[in-house]
Amino acid sequence: MANDSNKFQAIISHCKEYGFIFPSSEIYDGLQAVYDYGQMGSELKKNIKDYWWKSMTQLHDNIVGIDAAIFMHPTTWKASGHVENFNDPMIDNKDSNKRYRVDHLIEGFAEELRAKGEKESNEADNLLGQMESLLAKDDFAGLKSLIETNNIKCAVSDTCNWTDIRQFNLMFSTEFGSTVSSDDEDNKVYLRPETAQGIFVNFLNVQKTGRMKIPFGIAQIGKAFRNEIVARQFIFRMREFEQMEMQFFIRPGTQKEWYEKWKTTRLEWHKSLGMPAEKYRYHDHVKLAHYADAACDIEFEFPIGFKELEGIHSRTDFDLKQHQEFSKKKQQYFDNDIDPTTGKAYGNYIPYVIETSIGLDRMFLAVMSHAYEEQDLSTAEKKDSRVVLKFPAKLSPIKLAVLPLTKKDGLPEIAEQIMADCKADFRCFYEEKDSIGKRYRRMDALGTPFCVTVDHQTKEDNTVTIRHRDSMDQERVSIEKLKNIVLNAIA
RNA sequence: GCGAAAGUAGCUCAUUUGGUAGAGCACGACCUUGCCAAGGUCGGGGUGGCCGGUUCGAGCCCGGUCUUUCGCUCCA
């Protein structure tokens, strides 16, 4: 455990030192739980994105992508349940540090009263009535004094030593329009807490304009924002993060089989990157969210333990039904296929939905923490070690480093020529400083799968040595074969 | 939010009891070497997180504050 914690720290340091991830606004002491991707990190992140996008859209005939705005009509979040379910006033007991939802605390107390007798039962009704009116007015001071005058205690500490009541909003909000006052509720818009709703509200647009037939999916990659109470553990839980989601629309009654199919498909995707199977496990949800009839996580073994990486949810027709109700626009699909049991078309229905939702930043962390390796290369004569990022080649920020053995005798010129030949096809990096060994190690630390070295023999026979990151083996190949070797490895 | 620890050069760290900061790596120049890091010479770089107090004098003592890490708490 101590070791893994050290490893996690080492990864965080490595990410910063080699330009993968910086704390946000670091010159101002950073901003809690917000991070920036640097010159290497943004490449790796983009490569993960591309791999997901391609496997979802290009390799599935019936899945298309969209890119919906982060701002959405405020009613969206009433329909989705986010406004209702995730902005409860909370209160902490200072002695036990236990946090309660204010309504739960008071309701619990009322239940106790009710159990005592008729007189107390009336008091309870009175109490709940007061609570409702205070809640409706957002009168937190009034609610606190209600708790105190009734001497409502914490079940753990048995004291009445409470903090002020605070409102925890899951969603970030801002004002729409440049001249409105900030307390005007009508102009309040939210930064989306999930990308899914952008897909749901475009369900019919995509279905009709793309002439999509059920079953079909809509994929999207985008930022989402959540006011986590505690956001920590590097990029694992951030307030601003990026999701890669796919909503798959299906005929009602088939959700079980599609849920199972996507559960399997998604795990296969992870394994297709060469990540070991034992690093993954399913975690089935027992307590389901308000919109789901089945849900599981694909967990990955990070250095901080097994944690959620991707969620697969059977969301029923909850979202589309809600949007139909709030928008007063039908969210139905007409299914022309023949139902074998009735001999007639399936007709109109609101589709059911299977969601696959993976955190891009978490995927980044998974790839990074699996790739990171500190190796002891000591021999009897000499102590030696290296840090290597064993990324799958297709995800590596830099694919090929081109290194002239010396910076004279015309070797840099040949190296520049190789650069010119390759850089249109994949990311290359040129370096002529320092000893060749040092340059190899630097490339290892960035996860570059191939280094080619131009030496004096190159001038005679047009061959170079290509050095493989993981094995550190070298082989001599002709320059003209180089590009294909790399292209094959990253295909 | 609570508790604990930490904050000195880009990085990793030193500076015994308070006397105005050093090393290695990294970086720049030059020389040397030339297929797996750490050769030589020279050089640039620090208002010691920030603010205040004690003191003739503070990186070191005291108070506050910010940030980070760990644990608890919370989490669709």
Side-chain angles (χ1 to χ4, degrees):
Chain A
M1 188 62 193
N3 247 341
D4 283 351
S5 172
N6 290 346
K7 187 183 174 188
F8 196 51
Q9 292 311 315
I11 289 168
I12 294 169
S13 301
H14 192 86
C15 280
K16 190 182 162 197
E17 193 175 348
Y18 288 91
F20 285 90
I21 296 172
F22 308 120
S24 160
S25 332
E26 198 187 6
I27 61 169
Y28 294 108
D29 288 329
L31 184 63
Q32 197 178 55
V34 185
Y35 290 91
D36 298 336
Y37 287 84
Q39 67 278 15
M40 288 299 139
S42 53
E43 291 282 346
L44 173 57
K45 189 177 174 191
K46 183 185 170 299
N47 291 341
I48 294 172
K49 254 194 251 195
D50 289 347
Y51 184 66
W52 183 89
W53 187 259
K54 187 175 171 187
S55 74
M56 275 296 173
T57 62
Q58 194 172 326
L59 300 179
H60 287 97
D61 299 337
N62 58 347
I63 299 179
V64 294
I66 65 166
D67 184 7
I70 288 170
F71 290 139
M72 298 186 72
H73 192 283
T75 308
T76 307
W77 307 110
K78 291 185 180 142
S80 70
H82 285 83
V83 172
E84 179 86 348
N85 289 332
F86 300 107
N87 65 351
D88 310 299
M90 311 283 269
I91 193 166
D92 292 357
N93 184 274
K94 288 180 188 169
D95 299 312
S96 63
N97 290 327
K98 186 106 178 93
R99 176 168 294 152
Y100 295 89
R101 270 174 61 168
V102 168
D103 55 337
H104 286 179
L105 184 68
I106 297 175
E107 280 164 9
F109 181 72
E111 283 304 310
E112 287 175 31
L113 277 182
R114 218 185 287 282
K116 285 180 183 166
E118 197 175 325
K119 177 165 159 278
E120 287 85 351
S121 188
N122 289 334
E123 281 176 28
D125 290 342
N126 185 24
L127 178 65
L128 291 178
Q130 289 179 53
M131 179 186 83
E132 290 299 336
S133 74
L134 289 168
L135 276 176
K137 285 184 287 187
D138 282 337
D139 182 353
F140 296 155
L143 282 164
K144 189 182 179 189
S145 75
L146 186 68
I147 289 170
E148 285 171 343
T149 54
N150 284 281
N151 200 24
I152 299 176
K153 290 174 180 165
C154 167
V156 177
S157 66
D158 203 36
T159 66
C160 196
N161 188 12
W162 298 105
T163 62
D164 285 340
I165 290 172
R166 284 163 300 187
Q167 185 134 26
F168 286 82
N169 288 312
L170 172 90
M171 291 190 286
F172 287 90
S173 63
T174 186
E175 305 89 47
F176 213 55
S178 55
T179 58
V180 296
S181 68
S182 58
D183 51 18
D184 191 339
E185 279 293 311
D186 293 342
N187 293 300
K188 190 170 180 178
V189 293
Y190 297 101
L191 273 57
R192 65 182 176 201
E194 62 175 21
T195 53
Q197 299 305 327
I199 295 178
F200 293 133
V201 301
N202 279 299
F203 157 68
L204 280 182
N205 282 339
V206 172
Q207 189 270 317
K208 287 184 171 152
T209 59
R211 295 163 27 246
M212 308 302 290
K213 284 193 67 186
I214 272 181
F216 74 94
I218 304 177
Q220 178 170 216
I221 300 176
K223 289 272 178 98
F225 305 83
R226 296 180 192 179
N227 252 321
E228 302 284 353
I229 294 171
V230 174
R232 268 192 212 171
Q233 287 174 314
F234 197 39
I235 57 170
F236 185 79
R237 178 170 284 119
M238 295 194 289
R239 297 213 161 96
E240 173 179 344
F241 59 102
E242 199 155 359
Q243 293 183 305
M244 302 192 287
E245 284 198 334
M246 193 278 296
Q247 308 292 335
F248 199 70
F249 299 91
I250 53 172
R251 198 175 283 151
T254 62
Q255 64 266 35
K256 199 79 201 141
E257 66 189 83
W258 281 110
Y259 173 69
E260 293 301 331
K261 175 170 186 300
W262 279 109
K263 230 174 126 167
T264 315
T265 305
R266 290 307 303 150
L267 189 56
E268 288 304 314
W269 180 83
H270 287 280
K271 290 197 236 164
S272 74
L273 278 169
M275 309 279 275
E278 63 271 19
K279 289 238 176 191
Y280 291 91
R281 71 181 187 199
Y282 290 116
H283 173 250
D284 293 310
H285 290 200
V286 183
K287 205 177 120 211
L288 295 169
H290 59 276
Y291 51 74
D293 73 354
C296 74
D297 297 332
I298 293 175
E299 295 187 334
F300 180 80
E301 191 175 12
F302 293 95
I304 47 177
F306 271 102
K307 301 269 185 189
E308 177 187 353
L309 172 62
E310 171 156 11
I312 294 121
H313 291 208
S314 175
R315 291 184 79 128
T316 68
D317 56 356
F318 175 86
D319 298 277
L320 289 178
K321 220 151 93 183
Q322 286 290 102
H323 287 305
Q324 172 164 296
E325 190 183 323
F326 278 75
S327 69
K328 311 273 191 294
K329 311 262 190 334
K330 282 237 188 310
Q331 297 297 309
Q332 290 179 340
Y333 170 81
F334 188 84
D335 193 333
N336 278 308
D337 286 1
I338 304 298
D339 180 351
T341 58
T342 63
K344 291 181 187 165
Y346 284 99
N348 267 316
Y349 56 80
I350 297 176
Y352 270 48
V353 174
I354 304 296
E355 164 187 281
T356 73
S357 172
I358 172 169
L360 174 52
D361 310 278
R362 289 182 181 184
M363 187 63 196
F364 183 107
L365 187 57
V367 169
M368 177 62 77
S369 51
H370 176 246
Y372 183 88
E373 205 171 296
E374 293 171 8
Q375 294 178 339
D376 185 359
L377 304 173
S378 297
T379 57
E381 300 85 54
K382 181 172 142 200
K383 270 187 90 70
D384 196 7
S385 66
R386 70 165 181 165
V387 173
V388 55
L389 298 179
K390 294 185 163 182
F391 294 135
K394 65 185 75 171
L395 299 185
S396 288
I398 299 168
K399 312 300 187 192
L400 178 69
V402 184
L403 316 170
L405 189 59
T406 73
K407 52 184 158 193
K408 51 187 184 211
D409 301 334
L411 301 187
E413 286 74 9
I414 300 173
E416 300 280 11
Q417 190 55 50
I418 296 173
M419 285 290 291
D421 285 347
C422 291
K423 68 183 180 191
D425 292 271
F426 43 80
R427 190 85 147 82
C428 303
F429 184 82
Y430 176 82
E431 173 120 82
E432 59 182 30
K433 274 195 131 4
D434 294 314
S435 73
I436 193 68
K438 212 170 191 173
R439 282 180 270 169
Y440 286 156
R441 299 301 171 85
R442 259 202 297 265
M443 287 299 110
D444 289 341
L446 296 175
T448 305
F450 302 106
C451 295
V452 301
T453 301
V454 178
D455 58 19
H456 294 92
Q457 190 185 328
T458 310
K459 291 197 286 189
E460 289 155 25
D461 61 7
N462 257 345
T463 63
V464 291
T465 53
I466 184 161
R467 182 262 194 185
H468 299 266
R469 177 195 64 200
D470 297 350
S471 62
M472 298 170 73
D473 288 342
Q474 299 179 123
E475 53 180 318
R476 190 124 207 133
V477 300
S478 73
I479 289 177
E480 60 197 22
K481 287 187 183 153
L482 261 184
K483 195 195 283 188
N484 275 331
I485 291 176
V486 178
L487 284 174
N488 285 338
I490 63 178

